[in-house]
Amino acid sequence: MNRLNTKTLPRAWVAAGICMLMATAAWAQDNAKAALQGQAAAGEKIARAGSAGGAAACASCHGANGEGQAGFPALAGQHAGYLVRQLNQLASGARQNPVMAPMAKALSEQERADVAAYYASLKLSIKPVRGPLPGKKDDDGAWLVERGRWADGIPACAQCHGPGGVGVGQDFPAIGHLTADYMQAQVDAWNKGQRDAGPLGLMGAVARKLTAEDIQAVATYYQRLHGGAAPQAAPAKP
Ligand code: HEC
Ligand code: HEC
């Protein structure tokens, strides 16, 4: 094969080549951005009005802007890769839920990618804040989130879910804004084999070790950490 030797090539050519490469990369990036915006716009339509295949408007359960409400988790600001995986699993039966599974089944693959792009484009309701490392007097929630409970083999939630539970990449969803009820429902689902254990089976293994008191403590701690801003879906006090 004839390999390019940059030493013998005139410098101007090399520079021109680099410029072209950069221009192509920028063009590809612009194209990808435009495609993503198109997807998000298509997803927003489904979120507001439902899909052609009969999925109900997502907003009717998950809130006008994906902020969630009692019984229905927030979607805004979750990673698109995470959302697509959940929709695929709800559609395939790897994650079971009598209310949500039929919605996921009614969406085409393209529509799942579109709604995921839309919700991922919205702002997450919490910020990445790391609480101080807990001491003897701190509660179970602080310990579980910031340090874990190694006696039971539970790593810190923050280790996988990021500071303040804001999520890390597509594999580790944001959890710092979720209600205790929703978190508990997921832990129960993992323990009953009604939800896929997730990448490398990581969360299924953690869930087995968490008690209902643990979940309540974690949710309460996150709420305090975020200045009462989470969980967003808590019903308004009269
Ligand atoms: C009738 C109410 C309802 C509607 C409409 C609805 N959902 Fe859901 N959705 C739920 C419930 C309930 C859950 C929680 C399921 C569980 O506990 O596992 C859920 C969970 C989800 C999840 C998983 C969230 C997570 O953090 O893992 C995604 C993603 C989702 N819904 C997307 C959508 C999309 C997209 C639409 C619109 C096409 C939609 N939902 C419409 C009730 C609904
Ligand atoms: C070793 C890594 C790891 C640790 C530690 C961990 N998680 Fe997870 N968690 C995951 C992964 C991966 C997922 C995504 C599972 C999936 O894709 O279905 C997840 C998902 C979740 C979800 C579901 C979110 C949703 O929107 O449905 C909850 C709730 C959760 N974790 C709570 C916790 C809590 C509470 C702790 C600390 C006690 C914790 N996790 C510690 C890896 C971890």
Side-chain angles (χ1 to χ4, degrees):
M1 219 175 68
N2 231 344
R3 296 189 76 203
L4 274 182
N5 182 346
T6 45
K7 281 197 188 119
T8 58
L9 274 178
R11 284 200 180 161
W13 284 23
V14 174
I18 290 173
C19 280
M20 267 171 66
L21 279 178
M22 282 169 60
T24 315
W27 175 81
Q29 220 170 35
D30 282 351
N31 256 9
K33 216 167 136 189
L36 205 63
Q37 277 167 356
Q39 272 197 324
E44 183 172 5
K45 279 198 192 129
I46 298 171
R48 302 210 176 286
S51 77
C58 324
S60 62
C61 289
H62 292 284
N65 297 299
E67 72 278 19
Q69 52 182 331
F72 308 107
L75 304 176
Q78 284 291 22
H79 197 288
Y82 170 77
L83 294 172
V84 164
R85 196 170 64 242
Q86 298 311 312
L87 289 170
N88 289 342
Q89 290 182 339
L90 282 155
S92 76
R95 177 172 174 179
Q96 296 162 24
N97 182 270
V99 180
M100 189 53 216
M103 307 283 165
K105 280 198 189 97
L107 297 172
S108 69
E109 205 173 315
Q110 182 64 53
E111 287 171 333
R112 282 177 216 154
D114 291 347
V115 282
Y118 167 62
Y119 282 114
S121 77
L122 302 179
K123 221 169 143 242
L124 188 69
S125 62
I126 48 169
K127 297 215 156 59
V129 274
R130 192 178 285 286
L133 277 184
K136 273 195 184 128
K137 283 191 192 146
D138 286 294
D139 61 36
D140 288 352
W143 275 86
L144 280 163
V145 169
E146 309 293 354
R147 285 200 201 245
R149 193 167 65 222
W150 288 98
D152 292 337
I154 305 174
C157 317
Q159 211 166 330
C160 288
H161 291 282
V166 292
V168 180
Q170 66 172 1
D171 284 337
F172 304 102
I175 61 167
H177 60 327
L178 297 176
T179 60
D181 285 353
Y182 174 76
M183 283 198 208
Q184 187 62 53
Q186 302 318 302
V187 166
D188 293 345
W190 278 306
N191 290 339
K192 287 186 208 149
Q194 292 169 353
R195 177 168 173 174
D196 182 274
L200 303 176
L202 288 174
M203 192 57 211
V206 175
R208 273 200 295 280
K209 299 165 184 161
L210 294 172
T211 65
E213 290 73 33
D214 290 340
I215 291 296
Q216 192 61 55
V218 165
T220 305
Y221 172 74
Y222 273 134
Q223 191 167 8
R224 196 169 72 232
L225 192 63
H226 294 297
Q232 237 188 17
K237 290 214 178 77

mmCIF file of all heavy atoms in Angstrom, residues 41-64 100 102-104 106-108 111-112 114-115 118-119:
data_model
loop_
_atom_site.group_PDB
_atom_site.id
_atom_site.type_symbol
_atom_site.label_atom_id
_atom_site.label_comp_id
_atom_site.label_asym_id
_atom_site.label_seq_id
_atom_site.Cartn_x
_atom_site.Cartn_y
_atom_site.Cartn_z
ATOM 1 N N ALA A 41 -37.518 17.596 18.155
ATOM 2 C CA ALA A 41 -38.767 18.260 17.762
ATOM 3 C C ALA A 41 -39.857 17.221 17.495
ATOM 4 O O ALA A 41 -41.006 17.384 17.912
ATOM 5 C CB ALA A 41 -38.526 19.135 16.533
ATOM 6 N N ALA A 42 -39.479 16.134 16.814
ATOM 7 C CA ALA A 42 -40.448 15.056 16.550
ATOM 8 C C ALA A 42 -40.888 14.427 17.876
ATOM 9 O O ALA A 42 -42.067 14.107 18.068
ATOM 10 C CB ALA A 42 -39.824 14.004 15.635
ATOM 11 N N GLY A 43 -39.928 14.285 18.795
ATOM 12 C CA GLY A 43 -40.232 13.707 20.100
ATOM 13 C C GLY A 43 -41.174 14.586 20.898
ATOM 14 O O GLY A 43 -42.068 14.095 21.595
ATOM 15 N N GLU A 44 -40.983 15.888 20.797
ATOM 16 C CA GLU A 44 -41.840 16.821 21.547
ATOM 17 C C GLU A 44 -43.303 16.688 21.112
ATOM 18 O O GLU A 44 -44.219 16.741 21.933
ATOM 19 C CB GLU A 44 -41.354 18.264 21.358
ATOM 20 C CG GLU A 44 -42.181 19.245 22.177
ATOM 21 C CD GLU A 44 -41.630 20.663 22.187
ATOM 22 O OE1 GLU A 44 -40.632 20.920 21.463
ATOM 23 O OE2 GLU A 44 -42.208 21.502 22.910
ATOM 24 N N LYS A 45 -43.514 16.487 19.808
ATOM 25 C CA LYS A 45 -44.885 16.305 19.304
ATOM 26 C C LYS A 45 -45.547 15.099 19.959
ATOM 27 O O LYS A 45 -46.701 15.158 20.386
ATOM 28 C CB LYS A 45 -44.855 16.095 17.776
ATOM 29 C CG LYS A 45 -44.737 17.387 17.011
ATOM 30 C CD LYS A 45 -45.161 17.195 15.562
ATOM 31 C CE LYS A 45 -44.750 18.428 14.757
ATOM 32 N NZ LYS A 45 -44.011 18.102 13.556
ATOM 33 N N ILE A 46 -44.796 14.000 20.037
ATOM 34 C CA ILE A 46 -45.344 12.781 20.659
ATOM 35 C C ILE A 46 -45.620 13.031 22.139
ATOM 36 O O ILE A 46 -46.652 12.643 22.679
ATOM 37 C CB ILE A 46 -44.365 11.601 20.484
ATOM 38 C CG1 ILE A 46 -44.177 11.296 19.004
ATOM 39 C CG2 ILE A 46 -44.849 10.368 21.241
ATOM 40 C CD1 ILE A 46 -43.064 10.304 18.697
ATOM 41 N N ALA A 47 -44.667 13.729 22.794
ATOM 42 C CA ALA A 47 -44.814 14.001 24.226
ATOM 43 C C ALA A 47 -46.097 14.790 24.492
ATOM 44 O O ALA A 47 -46.778 14.574 25.489
ATOM 45 C CB ALA A 47 -43.594 14.763 24.737
ATOM 46 N N ARG A 48 -46.417 15.717 23.586
ATOM 47 C CA ARG A 48 -47.581 16.581 23.819
ATOM 48 C C ARG A 48 -48.886 15.984 23.304
ATOM 49 O O ARG A 48 -49.952 16.223 23.862
ATOM 50 C CB ARG A 48 -47.372 17.944 23.157
ATOM 51 C CG ARG A 48 -46.130 18.643 23.650
ATOM 52 C CD ARG A 48 -46.232 20.154 23.638
ATOM 53 N NE ARG A 48 -45.030 20.746 24.215
ATOM 54 C CZ ARG A 48 -44.732 20.751 25.505
ATOM 55 N NH1 ARG A 48 -45.566 20.222 26.384
ATOM 56 N NH2 ARG A 48 -43.604 21.302 25.928
ATOM 57 N N ALA A 49 -48.806 15.212 22.199
ATOM 58 C CA ALA A 49 -50.055 14.789 21.552
ATOM 59 C C ALA A 49 -50.194 13.280 21.380
ATOM 60 O O ALA A 49 -51.197 12.811 20.857
ATOM 61 C CB ALA A 49 -50.162 15.478 20.195
ATOM 62 N N GLY A 50 -49.190 12.513 21.777
ATOM 63 C CA GLY A 50 -49.259 11.061 21.590
ATOM 64 C C GLY A 50 -48.725 10.663 20.231
ATOM 65 O O GLY A 50 -48.367 11.511 19.420
ATOM 66 N N SER A 51 -48.687 9.330 19.993
ATOM 67 C CA SER A 51 -48.092 8.845 18.743
ATOM 68 C C SER A 51 -49.164 8.293 17.814
ATOM 69 O O SER A 51 -50.274 7.972 18.245
ATOM 70 C CB SER A 51 -47.068 7.743 19.041
ATOM 71 O OG SER A 51 -47.743 6.528 19.324
ATOM 72 N N ALA A 52 -48.791 8.169 16.534
ATOM 73 C CA ALA A 52 -49.713 7.639 15.525
ATOM 74 C C ALA A 52 -50.152 6.223 15.893
ATOM 75 O O ALA A 52 -51.289 5.828 15.640
ATOM 76 C CB ALA A 52 -49.036 7.652 14.156
ATOM 77 N N GLY A 53 -49.241 5.467 16.525
ATOM 78 C CA GLY A 53 -49.541 4.077 16.875
ATOM 79 C C GLY A 53 -50.377 3.911 18.139
ATOM 80 O O GLY A 53 -50.646 2.793 18.559
ATOM 81 N N GLY A 54 -50.753 5.043 18.771
ATOM 82 C CA GLY A 54 -51.681 4.957 19.898
ATOM 83 C C GLY A 54 -51.088 5.156 21.282
ATOM 84 O O GLY A 54 -51.795 5.000 22.274
ATOM 85 N N ALA A 55 -49.791 5.508 21.368
ATOM 86 C CA ALA A 55 -49.238 5.837 22.694
ATOM 87 C C ALA A 55 -49.856 7.161 23.146
ATOM 88 O O ALA A 55 -49.980 8.093 22.346
ATOM 89 C CB ALA A 55 -47.716 5.948 22.633
ATOM 90 N N ALA A 56 -50.270 7.243 24.415
ATOM 91 C CA ALA A 56 -50.880 8.477 24.927
ATOM 92 C C ALA A 56 -49.813 9.558 25.076
ATOM 93 O O ALA A 56 -48.615 9.254 25.115
ATOM 94 C CB ALA A 56 -51.527 8.204 26.280
ATOM 95 N N ALA A 57 -50.246 10.818 25.127
ATOM 96 C CA ALA A 57 -49.311 11.929 25.320
ATOM 97 C C ALA A 57 -48.513 11.690 26.598
ATOM 98 O O ALA A 57 -49.099 11.551 27.674
ATOM 99 C CB ALA A 57 -50.079 13.237 25.410
ATOM 100 N N CYS A 58 -47.196 11.649 26.453
ATOM 101 C CA CYS A 58 -46.342 11.378 27.613
ATOM 102 C C CYS A 58 -46.581 12.421 28.713
ATOM 103 O O CYS A 58 -46.560 12.106 29.901
ATOM 104 C CB CYS A 58 -44.868 11.393 27.233
ATOM 105 S SG CYS A 58 -44.490 10.728 25.603
ATOM 106 N N ALA A 59 -46.815 13.669 28.274
ATOM 107 C CA ALA A 59 -46.965 14.788 29.216
ATOM 108 C C ALA A 59 -48.134 14.568 30.172
ATOM 109 O O ALA A 59 -48.111 15.054 31.299
ATOM 110 C CB ALA A 59 -47.141 16.096 28.443
ATOM 111 N N SER A 60 -49.144 13.810 29.743
ATOM 112 C CA SER A 60 -50.322 13.626 30.600
ATOM 113 C C SER A 60 -49.951 12.882 31.880
ATOM 114 O O SER A 60 -50.604 13.052 32.903
ATOM 115 C CB SER A 60 -51.441 12.910 29.836
ATOM 116 O OG SER A 60 -51.004 11.622 29.448
ATOM 117 N N CYS A 61 -48.931 12.061 31.836
ATOM 118 C CA CYS A 61 -48.485 11.383 33.058
ATOM 119 C C CYS A 61 -47.164 11.962 33.594
ATOM 120 O O CYS A 61 -47.016 12.132 34.800
ATOM 121 C CB CYS A 61 -48.306 9.887 32.820
ATOM 122 S SG CYS A 61 -49.861 8.993 32.615
ATOM 123 N N HIS A 62 -46.227 12.229 32.703
ATOM 124 C CA HIS A 62 -44.883 12.615 33.159
ATOM 125 C C HIS A 62 -44.724 14.126 33.352
ATOM 126 O O HIS A 62 -43.610 14.598 33.584
ATOM 127 C CB HIS A 62 -43.827 12.094 32.181
ATOM 128 C CG HIS A 62 -43.702 10.593 32.193
ATOM 129 N ND1 HIS A 62 -43.060 9.909 33.199
ATOM 130 C CD2 HIS A 62 -44.172 9.638 31.338
ATOM 131 C CE1 HIS A 62 -43.114 8.598 32.948
ATOM 132 N NE2 HIS A 62 -43.792 8.412 31.836
ATOM 133 N N GLY A 63 -45.822 14.883 33.236
ATOM 134 C CA GLY A 63 -45.765 16.328 33.452
ATOM 135 C C GLY A 63 -45.520 17.084 32.157
ATOM 136 O O GLY A 63 -44.945 16.548 31.206
ATOM 137 N N ALA A 64 -45.957 18.350 32.125
ATOM 138 C CA ALA A 64 -45.904 19.167 30.911
ATOM 139 C C ALA A 64 -44.490 19.267 30.359
ATOM 140 O O ALA A 64 -44.292 19.326 29.148
ATOM 141 C CB ALA A 64 -46.467 20.557 31.188
ATOM 142 N N MET A 100 -46.937 1.450 31.749
ATOM 143 C CA MET A 100 -45.958 2.006 30.819
ATOM 144 C C MET A 100 -45.601 1.075 29.662
ATOM 145 O O MET A 100 -45.300 1.523 28.558
ATOM 146 C CB MET A 100 -44.697 2.419 31.608
ATOM 147 C CG MET A 100 -43.685 3.202 30.795
ATOM 148 S SD MET A 100 -44.379 4.651 29.961
ATOM 149 C CE MET A 100 -43.448 4.624 28.430
ATOM 150 N N PRO A 102 -47.374 -0.897 27.627
ATOM 151 C CA PRO A 102 -48.131 -0.742 26.378
ATOM 152 C C PRO A 102 -47.761 0.527 25.608
ATOM 153 O O PRO A 102 -47.781 0.534 24.380
ATOM 154 C CB PRO A 102 -49.595 -0.677 26.841
ATOM 155 C CG PRO A 102 -49.598 -1.228 28.215
ATOM 156 C CD PRO A 102 -48.255 -0.995 28.802
ATOM 157 N N MET A 103 -47.400 1.587 26.345
ATOM 158 C CA MET A 103 -46.979 2.846 25.684
ATOM 159 C C MET A 103 -45.692 2.606 24.895
ATOM 160 O O MET A 103 -45.552 3.022 23.759
ATOM 161 C CB MET A 103 -46.657 3.941 26.699
ATOM 162 C CG MET A 103 -47.709 4.224 27.703
ATOM 163 S SD MET A 103 -49.020 5.180 26.973
ATOM 164 C CE MET A 103 -50.212 4.921 28.253
ATOM 165 N N ALA A 104 -44.743 1.946 25.548
ATOM 166 C CA ALA A 104 -43.449 1.700 24.902
ATOM 167 C C ALA A 104 -43.625 0.800 23.681
ATOM 168 O O ALA A 104 -43.001 1.018 22.644
ATOM 169 C CB ALA A 104 -42.482 1.070 25.903
ATOM 170 N N ALA A 106 -46.192 0.648 21.799
ATOM 171 C CA ALA A 106 -46.887 1.364 20.724
ATOM 172 C C ALA A 106 -45.945 2.290 19.942
ATOM 173 O O ALA A 106 -46.304 2.776 18.872
ATOM 174 C CB ALA A 106 -48.048 2.179 21.312
ATOM 175 N N LEU A 107 -44.749 2.534 20.476
ATOM 176 C CA LEU A 107 -43.802 3.433 19.791
ATOM 177 C C LEU A 107 -42.896 2.635 18.855
ATOM 178 O O LEU A 107 -42.442 1.543 19.211
ATOM 179 C CB LEU A 107 -42.928 4.161 20.813
ATOM 180 C CG LEU A 107 -43.608 5.103 21.807
ATOM 181 C CD1 LEU A 107 -42.601 5.564 22.860
ATOM 182 C CD2 LEU A 107 -44.224 6.308 21.100
ATOM 183 N N SER A 108 -42.615 3.197 17.679
ATOM 184 C CA SER A 108 -41.641 2.578 16.776
ATOM 185 C C SER A 108 -40.235 2.872 17.311
ATOM 186 O O SER A 108 -40.068 3.708 18.202
ATOM 187 C CB SER A 108 -41.781 3.154 15.368
ATOM 188 O OG SER A 108 -41.342 4.508 15.360
ATOM 189 N N GLU A 111 -39.480 6.443 16.913
ATOM 190 C CA GLU A 111 -40.215 7.281 17.876
ATOM 191 C C GLU A 111 -39.596 7.203 19.277
ATOM 192 O O GLU A 111 -39.556 8.199 19.998
ATOM 193 C CB GLU A 111 -41.692 6.857 17.920
ATOM 194 C CG GLU A 111 -42.455 7.276 16.670
ATOM 195 C CD GLU A 111 -43.856 6.676 16.598
ATOM 196 O OE1 GLU A 111 -44.096 5.588 17.171
ATOM 197 O OE2 GLU A 111 -44.721 7.299 15.949
ATOM 198 N N ARG A 112 -39.084 6.033 19.626
ATOM 199 C CA ARG A 112 -38.415 5.912 20.933
ATOM 200 C C ARG A 112 -37.174 6.793 20.969
ATOM 201 O O ARG A 112 -36.907 7.474 21.961
ATOM 202 C CB ARG A 112 -38.013 4.450 21.196
ATOM 203 C CG ARG A 112 -39.174 3.602 21.622
ATOM 204 C CD ARG A 112 -38.753 2.147 21.803
ATOM 205 N NE ARG A 112 -39.848 1.296 21.360
ATOM 206 C CZ ARG A 112 -39.721 0.057 20.908
ATOM 207 N NH1 ARG A 112 -38.526 -0.512 20.861
ATOM 208 N NH2 ARG A 112 -40.771 -0.622 20.523
ATOM 209 N N ASP A 114 -36.741 9.438 19.199
ATOM 210 C CA ASP A 114 -37.191 10.838 19.160
ATOM 211 C C ASP A 114 -37.604 11.338 20.551
ATOM 212 O O ASP A 114 -37.169 12.403 20.989
ATOM 213 C CB ASP A 114 -38.377 10.982 18.188
ATOM 214 C CG ASP A 114 -37.961 10.787 16.729
ATOM 215 O OD1 ASP A 114 -36.748 10.789 16.448
ATOM 216 O OD2 ASP A 114 -38.863 10.631 15.873
ATOM 217 N N VAL A 115 -38.442 10.581 21.242
ATOM 218 C CA VAL A 115 -38.878 11.048 22.576
ATOM 219 C C VAL A 115 -37.686 11.095 23.540
ATOM 220 O O VAL A 115 -37.592 11.996 24.377
ATOM 221 C CB VAL A 115 -40.019 10.201 23.201
ATOM 222 C CG1 VAL A 115 -41.353 10.554 22.603
ATOM 223 C CG2 VAL A 115 -39.747 8.716 23.120
ATOM 224 N N TYR A 118 -35.830 14.205 22.897
ATOM 225 C CA TYR A 118 -36.574 15.360 23.435
ATOM 226 C C TYR A 118 -36.381 15.490 24.947
ATOM 227 O O TYR A 118 -35.972 16.550 25.441
ATOM 228 C CB TYR A 118 -38.065 15.232 23.093
ATOM 229 C CG TYR A 118 -38.935 16.202 23.870
ATOM 230 C CD1 TYR A 118 -38.762 17.578 23.727
ATOM 231 C CD2 TYR A 118 -39.894 15.748 24.769
ATOM 232 C CE1 TYR A 118 -39.531 18.487 24.459
ATOM 233 C CE2 TYR A 118 -40.667 16.634 25.498
ATOM 234 C CZ TYR A 118 -40.477 18.001 25.346
ATOM 235 O OH TYR A 118 -41.232 18.892 26.077
ATOM 236 N N TYR A 119 -36.630 14.400 25.686
ATOM 237 C CA TYR A 119 -36.512 14.510 27.149
ATOM 238 C C TYR A 119 -35.065 14.769 27.586
ATOM 239 O O TYR A 119 -34.829 15.476 28.556
ATOM 240 C CB TYR A 119 -37.122 13.287 27.838
ATOM 241 C CG TYR A 119 -38.631 13.376 27.881
ATOM 242 C CD1 TYR A 119 -39.433 12.488 27.180
ATOM 243 C CD2 TYR A 119 -39.253 14.405 28.594
ATOM 244 C CE1 TYR A 119 -40.820 12.597 27.194
ATOM 245 C CE2 TYR A 119 -40.637 14.524 28.610
ATOM 246 C CZ TYR A 119 -41.414 13.626 27.913
ATOM 247 O OH TYR A 119 -42.786 13.761 27.928
#
